[in-house]
Amino acid sequence: MSEREENWREETLAVRAGIARSQFGEHSEALFLTSSFVFANAAEAAQRFSGEAPGDVYSRFTNPTVRMFEARLAALEGAEAAVATASGMAAILATAMALLQCGDHIVAARSLFGATQQLFGAILPRFGVTTTFVSGTQLDAFRAAIRPSTRLIFVETPSNPLTEIHDIGALAELAHAVGALLVVDNCFCTPILQKPLALGADLVIHSATKYLDGQGRVLGGAVCGARRWTEEIHKFLRTAGPSLSPFNAWVLLKGLETLPVRIRAQAANALELARRLEGHPKIRRVWYPGLPSHPQHALALRQQLAGGAIVSFEAEGGKKAAWRLIDACRMLSITANLGDVKTTITHPASTTHGRLTPEEREAAGIGEGLVRIAVGLEAVEDIHRDLLRGLDAC
Ligand SMILES: *Cc1c(COP(=O)(O)O)cnc(C)c1O
């Protein structure tokens, strides 16, 4: 494949990068729905198993459809390589298992996806890998948390649900000064709006379940970065098992084709919605990186192409008002998922962040009246009208 040599632009990479046609010359990428591959003879089997001869053996190791998805995503992230996983959490687990050992330490932002917090805070410590969680986005707080054993700095930017922005370039410098790697979960922006590797990060994590699929159909994940790391992660996957299924890879490959168009349109919808909601008498505050009122608006514009498609706001009247608002919406889907072309609405305090104690939620800034909107592709007028109906009811 010579797609990188062609200097294709992003829109072209999204539809053409990574294509490997079979002998039939199919135009649409083939779905190799097979668990294993056949060898011409015993000698070839031996050579492929040992790695002496190239070629697929078993789909827990490699699969042509999965490989096409990996190549296309790597091209979009500007990564040397990508490795696909069964889910976003599998990508994070595989990264930790492949690159860390007992005694190693992680510095992570406190505002992380709930399952990532659980993995770092409750599961990895059983294997001797500990994490210091840092509140807020101050670089000094990250610096203070670093120990001689620190191997990874891990952040999501923008964060969920308050869209905190972490300075990727500054964190990369900090990590590299102590011989650690910076890992960025790029779920909210996707490579179309933000390229963490170009800003200095070492690895990019994706929950492909979100915007990369974009239509809420499959689970999937990936890690992108230098081949020396992705190869280690792949070694863990092929042995331990959380590999991406060929069917899901095929759905995600199709998802990537429309990613540039979708995410830009969803971000434009989100900006317009955030503008319309800001100043509403029943809304105390709106969080959206694309608004000048966002505390890190300037940093967001420096490292992102747009504010993304997640808008959060604090309704006057706490949980009661937020629940009434959500229940009065007729169109928006009440679901914790995000990244879908259908707009979703969530009450973080009682769902995604429900396991935190009230004090922990307070420390994280997750108010009882907070509502998160993952803006989709419907007409922004219709999304706004549905929310106004909700605001009228609360
Ligand atoms: C959903 C999500 C994950 C986990 O991904 P799954 O595909 O659900 O395993 C990780 N990080 C972020 C930011 C997410 O939104």
Side-chain angles (χ1 to χ4, degrees), residues 74 115 117 124 130 174 213 220 222-223 258 274 299 301 327 341 355 358 374:
Q117 246 178 48
L124 292 184
T130 54
L174 184 61
D213 173 4
V223 189
T258 56
L299 172 60
L301 290 192
D327 290 346
V341 294
R355 268 180 304 189

Side-chain angles (χ1 to χ4, degrees), residues 7 47 85 87 130 148 160 185 244 258 267 275-276 308 310 336 351 354 363 374:
N7 261 330
Q47 284 171 342
T85 57
S87 67
T130 54
N160 178 25
D185 185 327
L244 184 63
T258 56
R275 281 185 181 141
R276 289 182 180 205
I310 306 290
T351 58

